[in-house]
Structure formats: structure tokens, C-alpha cells
Amino acid sequence: AQTVTQSQPEMSVQEAETVTLSCTYDTSESDYYLFWYKQPPSRQMILVIRQEAYKQQNATENRFSVNFQKAAKSFSLKISDSQLGDAAMYFCAYMNYGGSQGNLIFGKGTKLSVKP
Amino acid sequence: DSGVTQTPKHLITATGQRVTLRCSPRSGDLSVYWYQQSLDQGLQFLIQYYNGEERAKGNILERFSAQQFPDLHSELNLSSLELGDSALYFCASSFRGGGQETQYFGPGTRLLVL
């Protein structure tokens, strides 16, 4: 079974600085998807970024980028120019590729605080 | 606003009772997922429906059941409730399912079992 591990329960960053959240996963599959979701205090789950395992290029979305290391099964999220609105729980998630079964497997989350 | 609606937003009930949580997917989405978020278990996938049929099952207890209706809304039924069932229950939807599509999450139903 696939597992997702986030080893940093809490992180803190100064406003305008850069922070990196870590995620490792375990799978025997060669094709899969990886995601980072944000959960602000409102509890809404918001997709931040997605990476397809077959793509070597790291995904980027504005201030958010990932460092995907397939061999190491590592998928970290870098947030640049951190803003107060980035304060939230961040969940790393995995999904098998193919078919229409698309259930997400989540890590335990990292709580990010942003200091003004 | 994701376009996914869930009712009710909050639910307080007693042990042994039964509740029904409702979810309406985004317009056009055929696939509905249910997730449970609790302090001790984290976010767990419960069950997926696609166009009215069960597609995948996760860590869903036998006391829990779900269905998706012809109008594509879904209901999650929780029975013989226990204190440990207190959690935030999310519904998410996507067009057909699979990782190439974004799953849009509803605001969740917060269940408290006393």
C-alpha cells in the first residue's frame, strides 16, 4: 500500500522569505500523481500544485514550486515570497495513475505559520 | 467557492444515533469522493462513486454507507455512531476521476458525537 510521510509537523517562516515543506512517499508504482493541498483555518481544502510522475520537469504555480525526486521518492514544496495568507496546514497527497479511481492518500500535514 | 456543496455544515448528535450527510458535486462532475478528517487518523479516503456506481472503497467502516443518486448528489450515512466518529467529513468531486483531474472539495460537515 502507498504511504505518504510529512516529517515536519510545524514550520515557521518570516513574511517575504522562502520556506520548503518536505514530503516523502512510498509506492511500487511507476506512474502516479503527487499533490500539495492547502487547508487554511476555514478548513477548505485547496489544491496548490500537482506533479505527474512521468514528467521530469518540476511543476510551478506562481510562488509555489516543487522539487520532485522520483528515485528518492521525495516531493517537497517551496513557497517563495511568503505571505500572511499562506499560513495554513499543507498536505502532501498521492494518487495512483490510470483508470477513474482517483482517491487521494494524504500525509499527516505540516502547519505553516507566517510571521509579519 | 469550489462549487461543491455539503449539508449540514455542523451536526451534533449522540452515540448510537444515525446521521446522513449530503453532497452536491460541481455541475458536470460525475465522480464523488468522501473523506474523513480526524485528529488521530488524519485525512482518510472513505469511498468513491462514479455516475451512480461505487468505484473505489477505502477505510470505510461497515457502519457507514454511501450512495450516489441519478441527479449525481451523494449521501453518506453513518449509523451506530461512536465518539470516535467525530470528525470533519469532506466530499470532493471531479469530472470522471483519476489524477489528471483536480478534485474540488466541499466545505465539509463537522460531526460531533456526544
Side-chain angles (χ1 to χ4, degrees):
Chain A
Q2 294 84 11
T3 58
V4 177
T5 302
Q6 293 179 250
S7 59
Q8 307 153 315
E10 294 189 27
M11 292 280 287
S12 181
V13 64
Q14 205 71 31
E15 195 176 6
E17 296 295 308
T18 296
V19 64
T20 299
L21 309 184
S22 301
C23 172
T24 58
Y25 59 94
D26 189 30
T27 183
S28 58
E29 303 291 332
S30 58
D31 288 327
Y32 46 87
Y33 297 91
L34 295 166
F35 306 81
W36 279 97
Y37 276 84
K38 171 184 178 181
Q39 187 179 40
S42 67
R43 297 287 191 169
Q44 180 75 43
M45 293 291 290
I46 302 164
L47 177 65
V48 175
I49 200 164
R50 169 174 53 213
Q51 174 79 43
E52 291 87 346
Y54 61 84
K55 290 186 177 178
Q56 291 187 342
Q57 187 173 3
N58 289 324
T60 61
E61 287 286 343
N62 300 314
R63 298 182 295 106
F64 299 87
S65 62
V66 299
N67 183 5
F68 173 49
Q69 302 289 327
K70 192 172 184 179
K73 295 181 181 175
S74 170
F75 182 62
S76 60
L77 174 70
K78 186 171 83 170
I79 306 174
S80 304
D81 185 26
S82 296
Q83 300 175 0
L84 295 178
D86 295 333
M89 282 290 290
Y90 286 82
F91 292 94
C92 179
Y94 167 100
M95 181 190 293
N96 279 325
Y97 178 87
S100 57
Q101 289 189 10
N103 55 286
L104 293 160
I105 299 168
F106 288 93
K108 293 290 188 184
T110 295
K111 183 178 181 179
L112 178 67
S113 302
V114 181
K115 297 179 180 177
Chain B
D1 186 359
S2 66
V4 178
T5 60
Q6 289 186 248
T7 56
K9 289 186 177 176
H10 303 277
L11 201 46
I12 302 174
T13 189
T15 53
Q17 295 298 305
R18 172 189 168 94
V19 298
T20 297
L21 313 184
R22 182 188 169 102
C23 167
S24 292
R26 288 192 324 151
S27 177
D29 283 354
L30 301 175
S31 199
V32 169
Y33 309 81
W34 286 97
Y35 294 90
Q36 179 195 57
Q37 184 176 28
S38 63
L39 283 175
D40 53 346
Q41 297 293 330
L43 265 163
Q44 288 195 104
F45 166 70
L46 296 178
I47 197 164
Q48 176 197 3
Y49 278 82
Y50 172 70
N51 203 21
E53 294 192 2
E54 182 182 305
R55 185 53 61 95
K57 219 168 189 177
N59 298 322
I60 188 166
L61 300 171
E62 286 191 10
R63 300 183 286 108
F64 296 2
S65 65
Q67 54 185 329
Q68 185 180 27
F69 294 86
D71 67 352
L72 300 176
H73 91 271
S74 178
E75 292 181 358
L76 179 67
N77 299 295
L78 316 176
S79 62
S80 302
L81 285 167
E82 301 175 0
L83 296 178
D85 298 328
S86 297
L88 185 57
Y89 291 85
F90 283 109
C91 167
S93 76
S94 67
F95 176 48
R96 290 178 59 243
Q100 70 279 11
E101 301 171 0
T102 296
Q103 285 190 24
Y104 293 89
F105 282 74
T109 292
R110 187 178 295 275
L111 173 66
L112 179 60
V113 182
L114 299 175

